[in-house]
Amino acid sequence: MATRHQFLQSRAERQRRIFSEDFKSRKVREIEQKQTTIAQVSRQYEVRESSIAKWISKYGKNYMKGIRTIVESESDTEKIAALKAQVAELQRVIGQKQVQLEFKEKMIELAEELYGVDIKKKFEQKPSSGTGNTENS
């Protein structure tokens, strides 16, 4: 970390300094993340606290010109309840699909018995490619 003595300047030099937009936004982020304080930045770079307050109003994410922003995240119990409802819905859909599948299996069995055709076997056979196995004489 830089020391204050490295940045000591005369009053005239301090008045001519211009900090980059990136520098200001970086310092505001550090202040917002509680890595440093306004007073520390003010002392370190010999900048008035009022100037830093202006930086915060311009670059700060949590600052809204006198309005206090309170962000309330969704509680864990609400998230868990929503996930449980989703799981229940998915289980219901799976149950319906299982009933449909069993119904189709039973219908195939009944059709096989009634018509004497092995339907399952026909569905499992691979279609012929049409070339056949013919021998030349």
Side-chain angles (χ1 to χ4, degrees), residues 27-58:
K27 291 303 165 188
V28 168
R29 265 196 316 266
E30 289 175 10
I31 291 168
E32 286 178 336
Q33 294 171 355
K34 309 250 188 271
Q35 294 174 349
T36 188
T37 65
I38 294 173
Q40 288 172 333
V41 173
S42 175
R43 275 193 309 272
Q44 186 176 5
Y45 298 101
E46 296 184 340
V47 180
R48 291 186 177 174
E49 290 187 12
S50 62
S51 296
I52 297 171
K54 288 177 187 175
W55 296 355
I56 293 171
S57 68
K58 186 173 181 181

Side-chain angles (χ1 to χ4, degrees), residues 9-129:
Q9 298 174 338
S10 69
R11 181 180 171 107
E13 289 174 322
R14 279 198 315 263
Q15 289 176 341
R16 283 185 269 135
R17 286 186 306 171
I18 297 174
F19 293 98
S20 70
E21 304 289 316
D22 183 51
F23 174 83
K24 293 175 188 177
S25 64
R26 216 179 12 209
K27 291 303 165 188
V28 168
R29 265 196 316 266
E30 289 175 10
I31 291 168
E32 286 178 336
Q33 294 171 355
K34 309 250 188 271
Q35 294 174 349
T36 188
T37 65
I38 294 173
Q40 288 172 333
V41 173
S42 175
R43 275 193 309 272
Q44 186 176 5
Y45 298 101
E46 296 184 340
V47 180
R48 291 186 177 174
E49 290 187 12
S50 62
S51 296
I52 297 171
K54 288 177 187 175
W55 296 355
I56 293 171
S57 68
K58 186 173 181 181
Y59 303 105
K61 292 181 181 170
N62 299 329
Y63 185 83
M64 293 185 65
K65 300 196 190 312
I67 299 172
R68 189 176 211 175
T69 306
I70 300 173
V71 178
E72 184 178 330
S73 62
E74 191 177 348
S75 72
D76 290 339
T77 54
E78 290 175 355
K79 288 179 185 176
I80 290 170
L83 289 172
K84 283 183 180 180
Q86 186 179 12
V87 167
E89 175 64 18
L90 291 172
Q91 287 175 338
R92 184 186 65 77
V93 170
I94 289 172
Q96 287 178 343
K97 295 296 180 187
Q98 184 64 35
V99 169
Q100 289 175 352
L101 183 63
E102 289 173 4
F103 176 76
K104 288 178 183 175
E105 289 285 328
K106 188 64 175 174
M107 290 303 294
I108 290 172
E109 286 177 21
L110 290 173
E112 285 177 344
E113 287 177 18
L114 183 64
Y115 297 112
V117 179
D118 195 3
I119 297 172
K120 287 182 188 177
K121 202 171 213 176
K122 285 188 178 185
F123 280 126
E124 293 174 1
Q125 288 179 353
K126 295 181 182 177
S128 63
S129 62

Side-chain angles (χ1 to χ4, degrees), residues 2-9 43-44 46:
T3 62
R4 183 175 181 186
H5 297 292
Q6 290 174 326
F7 294 100
L8 284 179
Q9 298 174 338
R43 275 193 309 272
Q44 186 176 5
E46 296 184 340

